[in-house]
Amino acid sequence: MIINNKKFQVQNLTQTDIQIPWGVEMVWAVLTPLETTSMSSIKKIVLGCLYCKPGSKKKTALIDHIAQVYQLLSSKYPSGLHWILGGDFNELKDQKILEISGSLKQVVSEPTRFNPPAILDKIITSLHTYYQIPEIQPPLDSDPDKTGKPSDHRIVVMKPVSIMNNKSCRTTKE
């Protein structure tokens, strides 16, 4: 995640306000827009980044942890709170996470890995109407001065909706 510190105050919650269960790979932060007013619809953004390794036996613990953090922070910040959860889900099904709140939506729609094709790198957010459909870009190469292999995951980039190049994530069913 890349965060513009000129626009947001960042508060790391990992291992301070939120204890991560053993075996769960997750980090948490709260972003506060610097120009927030009492009339702002977005006052805080909870950012959660996760990794669920293939064959993990901690899937239920990870989903339970996300649900607990959702309840905790939703009660702590009762208005203007939004969510962005992202990371490498591998075999973790996102349905239980989406059931935590009707406002959450998984927005990555193209494969992030080709062999076999699958959407492994996901973004679940309540801010989907404020962002364009995520772009899927080529994977990172290894550093030129290091020995290694290029990543087998493509990069997901989600940009805010703007006046220019406005490709909304919102779709209308007829």
Side-chain angles (χ1 to χ4, degrees):
M1 296 280 171
I2 299 172
I3 301 163
N4 185 341
N5 288 328
K6 293 179 182 172
K7 293 187 177 189
F8 295 95
Q9 173 193 1
V10 180
Q11 178 187 3
N12 183 352
L13 301 179
T14 305
Q15 305 304 1
T16 55
D17 297 332
I18 298 173
Q19 295 298 311
I20 311 297
W22 185 86
V24 170
E25 296 186 53
M26 185 100 202
V27 294
W28 294 98
V30 171
L31 309 179
T32 304
L34 295 178
E35 298 182 16
T36 302
T37 69
S38 61
M39 300 301 291
S40 298
S41 61
I42 301 172
K43 295 180 182 171
K44 303 259 184 214
I45 301 169
V46 176
L47 180 62
C49 297
L50 67 93
Y51 174 68
C52 185
K53 68 182 180 180
S56 174
K57 294 180 178 14
K58 295 292 184 174
K59 292 175 191 164
T60 300
L62 175 58
I63 291 169
D64 289 347
H65 173 68
I66 292 169
Q68 290 169 354
V69 170
Y70 186 92
Q71 296 304 321
L72 172 75
L73 295 179
S74 293
S75 64
K76 185 174 182 176
Y77 306 111
S79 70
L81 182 66
H82 289 275
W83 296 80
I84 300 175
L85 302 171
D88 185 348
F89 283 61
N90 278 306
E91 300 151 353
L92 180 70
K93 304 290 184 220
D94 56 26
Q95 188 58 41
K96 293 283 187 196
I97 298 169
L98 295 171
E99 290 172 1
I100 293 170
S101 170
S103 67
L104 296 173
K105 180 179 177 183
Q106 197 287 111
V107 295
V108 179
S109 59
E110 293 180 42
T112 58
R113 185 169 185 195
F114 282 127
N115 195 7
I119 300 173
L120 301 181
D121 305 280
K122 299 179 182 183
I123 298 173
I124 295 175
T125 183
S126 61
L127 291 168
H128 47 88
T129 58
Y130 295 94
Y131 282 85
Q132 297 175 34
I133 296 169
E135 296 174 15
I136 310 302
Q137 298 181 353
L140 289 176
D141 288 326
S142 56
D143 293 336
D145 61 334
K146 308 284 187 221
T147 57
K149 301 185 307 187
S151 175
D152 63 344
H153 289 245
R154 296 167 70 199
I155 299 168
V156 179
V157 177
M158 190 170 80
K159 298 176 185 174
V161 170
S162 64
I163 295 170
M164 304 296 287
N165 196 19
N166 184 358
K167 298 178 205 167
S168 177
C169 283
R170 187 183 293 183
T171 57
T172 305
K173 292 184 179 180
E174 296 183 29

